[in-house]
Amino acid sequence: MVKIIHFHVKEKSNIGDVAIVLSLRDILKTKFKITSYTSKNIFDLKKRDYPWFIDILMKYFEILKFTSSIKLLDKNYRKIKNKLDDILLNKINKHDLMILGGGGLYSKWFFPLNDELINKIKIPIIIFGVGYNHNFGDKNLSSKELKSIIFLNRKAKLSSVRDLETKEFLKKLGFNADYIGDPAIFLKSKKINLKFEKNIKIALNIAQHGWKFQDKYTPQLVDYYTELIKNLGRTYNAKFFYIRHHSNENRVIKILKKRFPDMTICKYGPYETKYIYENMDLVISMMLHSSIFAFGSSVPVFNIAYDKKNHAFMRAINQENSFIDVRNLNLENISSDLKILSSLIKKKNNFLKIKKGFNKKTNEFVEKIRQITKK
């Protein structure tokens, strides 16, 4: 009988983030007799000197630090913050296990954590299938962020990662994490009332969740996808399904739907979305979890990457030739990309051996967790 508290990215507008949480929870529920499962936002563990709105102001207006009102706020906020930390710590320590993950937690968005709070946690901390997020063009993590990642891994009883690049990242910091893959690979599906014809079915996705060069490349991406749709539609009489992974994608959906009125727009939850992927013949993705859903559904995938994590995943599933850096997009060279897409349609890959490998590694890691709970 185990009580688990799970800290993760609580981003309801991002299907991938929700899928990770659901899949990880489902994995644990099949292996443990769970009496209590508490879901918490990873931001509750983040280090903050001030409330978030003041924190932002302090970064841009250093002079605020010298005003009497801020000094008074600082004094009172720290008292409140200490009490809130004590409440959270008490809640955490009432559980048997603390899980962090999965997703790209190793990033500027989530670190540094509140190391003082982390240090007071008495129950085992398990880092589960976490990745290192680094958009092309981003700065390297700061020394404070890296020190906090080191502190967390020292405190953790077990640590696992979703790709080899993250494993190498942690190795450089002095840690040997287990490589198990992304938990969302094993997400279950739920059938929905959506008809799929016998035509070749191609799923599309364009990342719009705020990546580094989004504004610069979005117009080019829309034109690129437009040409792919025209060519593949002509060649294969294909049916196209735009699968939305983030609510901000509505802007590109509107443009593509105007250009291709027959395109089916899919806006569903994670389990239902997985079912749609299972019925596709090809996926042209940007969002990492669009690629992961495709892989988990045994569907060929072509990825247009905006982050190092995309390349890491395509390497992990032996699909480096089905990957292109968004910075290298060129409509004049689209014919070579179409050849790759055609070969993916003709030569289907069920990824069976690779999926079995990830399943074995995940089960072995979960067994390690079980051994900790028995002590």
Side-chain angles (χ1 to χ4, degrees):
M1 308 291 270
V2 182
K3 291 185 287 184
I4 295 175
I5 185 164
H6 179 191
F7 286 88
H8 55 83
V9 181
K10 216 161 189 177
E11 177 60 82
K12 291 183 179 180
S13 60
N14 188 325
I15 289 293
D17 287 333
V18 180
I20 292 166
V21 177
L22 294 176
S23 189
L24 202 160
R25 183 196 64 189
D26 291 344
I27 289 168
L28 293 174
K29 281 187 174 181
T30 62
K31 305 293 183 181
F32 295 90
K33 289 183 179 179
I34 299 173
T35 56
S36 172
Y37 196 97
T38 304
S39 179
K40 295 289 288 181
N41 197 330
I42 188 68
F43 277 113
D44 292 346
L45 297 176
K46 188 171 170 61
K47 177 180 171 59
R48 291 196 186 281
D49 293 323
Y50 301 94
W52 68 267
F53 54 94
I54 297 294
D55 217 21
I56 292 170
L57 284 173
M58 297 293 275
K59 287 178 182 177
Y60 294 99
F61 303 101
E62 288 289 320
I63 196 169
L64 283 175
K65 291 182 180 179
F66 303 102
T67 66
S68 58
S69 57
I70 288 295
K71 287 180 180 179
L72 180 63
L73 171 69
D74 181 64
K75 183 179 179 180
N76 291 326
Y77 174 64
R78 289 184 188 280
K79 286 181 180 178
I80 296 169
K81 181 178 175 296
N82 289 336
K83 287 183 179 179
L84 291 174
D85 284 351
D86 288 342
I87 292 169
L88 179 59
L89 183 64
N90 185 52
K91 184 169 187 174
I92 292 169
N93 285 330
K94 284 181 178 179
H95 292 76
D96 301 304
L97 278 176
M98 175 174 160
I99 305 288
L100 272 85
L105 298 187
Y106 295 137
S107 73
K108 62 182 179 181
W109 303 110
F110 307 112
F111 281 83
L113 297 181
N114 184 342
D115 294 341
E116 188 178 342
L117 174 65
I118 297 292
N119 192 45
K120 293 177 183 177
I121 294 171
K122 295 177 180 178
I123 62 173
I125 298 174
I126 311 296
I127 305 171
F128 201 118
V130 169
Y132 170 46
N133 276 15
H134 190 274
N135 285 185
F136 297 144
D138 269 352
K139 294 179 180 177
N140 290 329
L141 294 180
S142 68
S143 60
K144 284 184 179 180
E145 290 158 352
L146 289 171
K147 284 177 182 177
S148 185
I149 291 171
I150 291 169
F151 190 88
L152 174 65
N153 276 270
R154 280 179 180 160
K155 181 71 175 176
K157 286 287 185 182
L158 294 172
S159 177
S160 62
V161 296
R162 68 184 180 191
D163 56 59
L164 289 171
E165 275 69 8
T166 307
K167 184 176 174 68
E168 186 61 29
F169 165 73
L170 287 178
K171 189 177 180 181
K172 289 178 181 177
L173 297 179
F175 302 97
N176 185 27
D178 290 340
Y179 167 45
I180 66 170
D182 192 289
I185 290 170
F186 308 106
L187 184 74
K188 299 172 184 176
S189 65
K190 182 179 179 181
K191 188 175 181 179
I192 56 173
N193 188 24
L194 187 63
K195 291 183 179 179
F196 299 103
E197 299 175 14
K198 291 183 178 180
N199 305 59
I200 293 292
K201 294 169 285 294
I202 300 175
L204 310 168
N205 172 263
I206 301 177
Q208 290 290 289
H209 58 298
W211 48 285
K212 178 76 174 179
F213 295 134
Q214 181 174 298
D215 292 341
K216 179 179 179 180
Y217 286 104
T218 293
Q220 187 179 348
L221 280 161
V222 172
D223 289 341
Y224 178 80
Y225 273 71
T226 297
E227 290 305 309
L228 291 181
I229 294 167
K230 284 179 180 177
N231 280 276
L232 294 171
R234 258 193 321 265
T235 305
Y236 296 102
N237 190 28
K239 295 293 182 182
F240 295 92
F241 296 75
Y242 187 100
I243 303 182
R244 191 183 75 168
H245 273 250
H246 195 286
S247 56
N248 288 349
E249 291 168 29
N250 289 335
R251 66 190 86 176
V252 293
I253 289 173
K254 188 176 180 180
I255 298 170
L256 290 174
K257 184 66 174 174
K258 190 174 181 180
R259 294 181 184 181
F260 305 99
D262 292 337
M263 180 184 292
T264 301
I265 308 301
C266 304
K267 302 177 182 179
Y268 296 94
Y271 294 129
E272 296 82 1
T273 298
K274 178 68 178 294
Y275 173 73
I276 298 168
Y277 276 98
E278 289 172 347
N279 285 277
M280 295 294 110
D281 297 293
L282 174 68
V283 174
I284 304 171
S285 70
M286 279 195 73
M287 292 289 274
L288 174 64
H289 281 88
S290 179
S291 299
I292 290 172
F293 276 42
F295 169 74
S297 303
S298 299
V299 176
V301 57
F302 180 83
N303 183 259
I304 301 158
Y306 60 90
D307 190 293
K308 290 181 179 179
K309 64 184 179 183
N310 300 76
H311 192 198
F313 178 71
M314 296 303 281
R315 280 183 60 194
I317 63 172
N318 297 331
Q319 296 296 302
E320 275 195 287
N321 293 331
S322 303
F323 157 90
I324 185 171
D325 187 321
V326 68
R327 296 168 295 183
N328 296 332
L329 277 186
N330 190 338
L331 283 172
E332 292 180 4
N333 296 333
I334 200 168
S335 59
S336 60
D337 296 338
L338 284 165
K339 286 180 182 177
I340 295 171
L341 292 169
S342 293
S343 68
L344 290 173
I345 292 172
K346 293 171 184 175
K347 186 182 177 182
K348 293 192 176 183
N349 189 338
N350 63 13
F351 302 113
L352 188 59
K353 186 177 179 181
I354 303 172
K355 283 197 288 186
K356 279 185 176 180
F358 283 133
N359 187 52
K360 183 174 182 289
K361 290 172 183 176
T362 299
N363 286 335
E364 288 172 350
F365 186 71
V366 172
E367 182 56 33
K368 287 183 180 181
I369 301 173
R370 281 174 58 83
Q371 293 305 317
I372 286 173
T373 62
K374 289 178 181 180
K375 293 178 181 178

